[in-house]
């Protein structure tokens, strides 16, 4: 049994060298124009700019096909209910529903060229890149499972999000300023959800992913909106009583002002 120890040690060292060598040859440095987005009463949306550069190590080799960048922006996670309507006796009613578990409220996939021109479809599925490959688990009755890309509920859900400006896939969303410097614009609509957003920047070369860099940011409310949101979340009962009293007072005041003697 003793002679096996040196062999196992050599295998482990070889695997460590193989995993650490090529991965460290190139790396991404990325930063956002702002890491905090403030939402106020007059918020109509905002556009963040992602700037990045590719650092080449001493062991980097020339890339004949150049570099490709895929930026995925997602967050925050929510449970979203979708309904399918049917016409019954001339009236549209909810016939069926699905709950999408932990679905991103916002999802943007930005790249410098179409995804299928960057890498293979198999690798895109494995890395879960693109609107067609993002996992969207559904709950129907007591079962939770990911749906196929042609599932009607999934297709309708993504279409609704695209129409709202909350989901997008842009094949020219990343621009190379130089062979090693790039930028990408991240548009946030007025309906953007509050929370933490994940920005995942991936570097590809010759169809393979060679580097990855996160760069998160936060969307938060400020001012009176934040006070109302915090009160509703932390003191629900008191918030409901105050809201009801305000509604009663408003109705009474209106009846006094517009009363006809």
């Amino acid at each position: 049994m003793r002679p096996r120890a040196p062999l196992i040690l050599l295998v482990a060292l070889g695997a460590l060298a193989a995993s650490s060598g090529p991965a460290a040859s190139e790396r991404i440095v990325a930063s956002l124009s702002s890491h905090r987005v403030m939402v106020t009463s007059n918020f109509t949306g905002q556009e963040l700019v992602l700037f990045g550069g590719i650092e080449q190590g001493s062991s980097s080799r020339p890339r004949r096909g150049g570099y490709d960048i895929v930026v995925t922006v997602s967050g925050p996670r929510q449970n979203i209910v979708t309904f399918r309507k049917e016409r019954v006796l001339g009236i549209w009613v909810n016939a069926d529903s699905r709950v999408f578990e932990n679905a991103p409220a916002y999802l943007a996939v930005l790249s410098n060229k179409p995804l299928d021109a960057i890498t293979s479809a198999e690798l895109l599925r494995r890395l879960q890149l693109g609107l067609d490959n993002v996992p969207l688990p559904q709950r129907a009755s007591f079962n939770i499972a990911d749906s196929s890309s042609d599932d009607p509920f999934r297709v309708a859900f993504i279409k609704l999000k695209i129409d709202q400006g909350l989901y997008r896939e842009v094949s020219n969303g990343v621009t190379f300023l130089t062979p090693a410097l790039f930028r990408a614009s991240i548009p946030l609509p007025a309906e953007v959800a509050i929370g933490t957003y994940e920005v995942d920047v991936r570097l590809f070369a010759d169809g393979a992913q060679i580097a990855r860099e996160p760069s998160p940011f936060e969307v938060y409310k400020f001012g009176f909106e934040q006070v109302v949101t915090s009160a509703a979340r932390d003191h629900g009962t008191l918030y409901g009583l105050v809201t009801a009293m305000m509604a009663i007072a408003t109705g009474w005041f209106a009846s006094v002002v517009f009363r006809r003697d």
Side-chain angles (χ1 to χ4, degrees):
M1 297 296 293
R2 183 171 299 176
R4 291 186 179 181
L7 179 60
I8 296 176
L9 180 60
L10 288 175
V11 172
L13 290 175
L16 179 61
S19 61
S20 60
S25 60
E26 286 136 322
R27 60 187 293 266
I28 304 174
V29 178
S31 181
L32 291 164
S33 57
S34 176
H35 289 274
R36 301 196 74 193
V37 177
M38 183 175 62
V39 176
T40 59
S41 57
N42 59 350
F43 181 76
T44 58
Q46 186 172 334
E47 184 175 275
L48 299 181
V49 179
L50 174 74
F51 292 98
I54 303 170
E55 288 189 351
Q56 297 180 336
S58 58
S59 60
S60 300
R61 66 181 188 276
R63 304 286 183 175
R64 291 177 300 175
Y67 295 106
D68 295 306
I69 295 290
V70 179
V71 179
T72 303
V73 186
S74 63
R77 299 283 173 169
Q78 298 176 341
N79 291 343
I80 304 175
V81 184
T82 59
F83 296 93
R84 178 172 61 85
K85 293 183 178 293
E86 287 185 358
R87 198 177 185 88
V88 178
L89 300 177
I91 302 175
W92 288 99
V93 298
N94 296 328
D96 197 3
S97 66
R98 291 288 189 278
V99 179
F100 287 90
E101 296 279 343
N102 293 321
Y106 178 89
L107 180 62
V109 183
L110 314 172
S111 56
N112 62 302
K113 64 175 67 170
L115 294 179
D116 55 4
I118 294 177
T119 187
S120 64
E122 180 183 355
L123 187 58
L124 290 175
R125 285 192 298 269
R126 185 151 55 86
L127 298 179
Q128 299 176 352
L129 292 178
L131 296 184
D132 291 337
N133 299 310
V134 62
L136 292 174
Q138 297 181 27
R139 184 174 73 230
S141 300
F142 298 101
N143 299 322
I144 300 177
D146 193 11
S147 56
S148 60
S149 59
D150 59 350
D151 175 76
F153 275 95
R154 178 190 174 98
V155 172
F157 174 76
I158 292 179
K159 183 179 183 302
L160 288 173
K161 287 290 189 179
I162 291 176
D163 294 341
Q164 295 170 359
L166 296 173
Y167 277 27
R168 64 183 66 233
E169 182 174 318
V170 185
S171 59
N172 60 349
V174 177
T175 303
F176 274 93
L177 306 176
T178 70
L181 295 176
F182 61 89
R183 72 182 298 273
S185 297
I186 304 173
L188 300 176
E191 298 79 11
V192 68
I194 306 301
T196 302
Y197 287 70
E198 300 173 359
V199 181
D200 186 19
V201 186
R202 297 173 185 259
L203 175 64
F204 288 82
D206 302 327
Q209 178 181 306
I210 58 176
R212 184 178 181 183
E213 177 72 14
S215 183
F217 66 91
E218 179 188 9
V219 177
Y220 69 100
K221 287 186 177 180
F222 179 79
F224 179 73
E225 294 80 5
Q226 179 60 32
V227 173
V228 174
T229 301
S230 300
R233 181 183 65 246
D234 302 330
H235 309 283
T237 303
L238 180 61
Y239 174 81
L241 291 174
V242 172
T243 303
M245 292 176 62
M246 290 178 61
I248 294 173
T250 302
W252 174 82
F253 180 76
S255 67
V256 171
V257 172
F258 297 102
R259 181 175 57 190
R260 295 182 179 179
D261 296 330

